[in-house]
Amino acid sequence: MSGLAKYLLSLGKKVGGSDVCSNEYTAELINLGASVVTGGAVDSVKDYDLIIYTDAIKDTDVRLTEAENLSKEIISRGQFLYEISRDFKKVIAVSGCHGKTTCSAMLTHIFAAANKKFTSHIGGNDLKYANFYYGGNDFFITEACEYKKNFLLLKPNVAVILNSDADHLECYGSEAALKEAYIRFADSADVAVSLYRDLPLTFGQSFGFDKSADYYAKNIKNIEGRYSFIAYECGARLGEVYLNVYGKHNVLNSLAAIAAARAVGIKFDCIREGLLSFSGVERRFENIGNVNGAVCIADYAHHPNEIRAIIRTAQKLTEGRLFVVFQPHTYSRTKNLFKQFVKVLSPLNNLLIYKTFAAREYYDDAGSALTLSQSIKKSRYGDDAGDITGFISKAGEKDMVLFLGAGDIYSIAKKCVGSI
């Protein structure tokens, strides 16, 4: 939402809004001229022509109710994102269970290196461009969220599908229905870019490690956690790529970005330059400090497959022990993917599961952090910052501490690390 607010502010519009608490996003918007209230304060909507809401708030929200009583025009964030996208000549929309923010940020650096007139709307803070960059109306790069089928509202020129792993099953009901939605998203675009053999698409470009993919990587090298590789396009060598971010999964993210950029005619030299300049996004394997000599890393990983990838990367980079603090995000995700969470977390010797970040949901014991912790023999449960501080204080030289989750664990982690 803050990225969309920045776009409106760049157009000289009057912007107001609210959030649960003050944070870096609300502070930035206030500095840019927005009116923002936090902490449950109520700001009247009477002075605004259009009311935009996220799916994270409830129908009973006081501002929504006031807007309805005043007969204001009300649309969802997903609908508004589509309306904004119509301001641009071409739209590149990045979807998938994981990797959206990283791939979108990679594309931002690529388009900047190519000197394109583009605007980028990123779901997290790129270390250079933050979550919004305005540089023209030829191209619009945006994340396409699958929650409540919001991505189906977009009509992109290039639809990127990084993966179709099971998530948000409380919305879709089944993995088959989720995959069908991704196929519909692909069908809505002029060009679809998708993970090789992930979806039964009959058109578009594929990327992957398999040489049968349209875009694939050869001679993959691990350079202290960062990767380089030779990129190929339909069997022809494009050239060598160097990534300045950790994790082999980012080879796939970069291949998707390469395919999307090539789909709109960007030269490989610009792609290579852009990927090299990309140094990461906040909460994507971000170093937030150290405790007793142990490096502390924060990552947004909240799906079992994301957690698996991050743990593998961390294990390759640390000589000592690995301490993991994981905060489940929503009861429904934990409940629907319970067995997968247990499987990926059970091998860890030092694991603390922190209380669930409920977001938009009500308590459900079957999907709670405590229930998950009780199902993993070597784990412990924590429900306040003191539990985390005590746990990570046992780490030392050559160890690594991972803070994983999409909730408020990031801000809690930084406070805990700073207090030791």
Side-chain angles (χ1 to χ4, degrees), residues 158-358:
V158 180
V160 180
I161 305 170
L162 297 170
N163 46 73
S164 63
D165 290 348
D167 201 8
H168 299 302
L169 295 183
E170 76 282 4
C171 301
Y172 290 90
S174 68
E175 291 186 43
L178 174 62
K179 286 184 179 292
E180 178 59 32
Y182 277 113
I183 292 171
R184 286 174 58 193
F185 176 63
D187 288 342
S188 71
D190 299 326
V191 178
V193 172
S194 65
L195 180 63
Y196 181 66
R197 287 187 173 177
D198 185 44
L199 292 168
L201 300 182
T202 57
F203 73 105
Q205 302 291 319
S206 62
F207 67 92
F209 292 123
D210 195 296
K211 294 179 182 179
S212 297
D214 295 307
Y215 292 86
Y216 62 90
K218 287 181 65 176
N219 298 340
I220 301 173
K221 298 178 182 178
N222 182 343
I223 309 169
E224 297 182 347
R226 298 181 176 93
Y227 285 79
S228 70
F229 60 91
I230 306 297
Y232 280 77
E233 178 185 67
C234 298
R237 186 183 189 276
L238 284 174
E240 193 160 12
V241 173
Y242 296 90
L243 299 180
N244 199 24
V245 287
Y246 290 101
K248 191 175 182 179
H249 57 283
N250 280 316
V251 174
L252 287 178
N253 288 330
S254 64
L255 285 172
I258 291 170
R262 293 290 287 171
V264 295
I266 294 183
K267 295 180 179 180
F268 179 71
D269 285 348
C270 296
I271 293 173
R272 176 168 47 199
E273 180 185 342
L275 289 174
L276 181 61
S277 72
F278 172 63
S279 58
V281 179
E282 283 185 358
R283 299 185 73 168
R284 271 62 174 187
F285 215 82
E286 179 189 355
N287 187 329
I288 60 171
N290 70 81
V291 169
N292 303 328
V295 63
C296 295
I297 302 293
D299 196 278
Y300 199 70
H302 56 286
H303 184 282
N305 289 345
E306 294 170 343
I307 294 170
R308 181 180 294 107
I310 293 303
I311 288 174
R312 284 176 178 172
T313 297
Q315 289 172 333
K316 290 178 181 178
L317 291 174
T318 183
E319 298 178 28
R321 298 168 298 171
L322 183 63
F323 289 75
V324 177
V325 179
F326 169 57
Q327 180 188 47
H329 186 267
T330 74
Y331 299 109
S332 60
R333 178 181 287 111
T334 307
K335 183 177 179 179
N336 289 329
L337 302 176
F338 197 88
K339 290 182 179 179
Q340 292 94 315
F341 278 116
V342 171
K343 183 177 181 180
V344 73
L345 293 171
S346 288
L348 297 172
N349 292 317
N350 299 286
L351 170 65
L352 184 144
I353 299 179
Y354 191 65
K355 63 182 178 182
T356 303
F357 187 82

Side-chain angles (χ1 to χ4, degrees), residues 133-148:
Y133 169 81
Y134 181 76
N137 286 63
D138 285 352
F139 296 93
F140 183 48
I141 300 167
T142 185
E143 293 188 27
C145 180
E146 71 277 12
Y147 180 61
K148 289 194 175 180

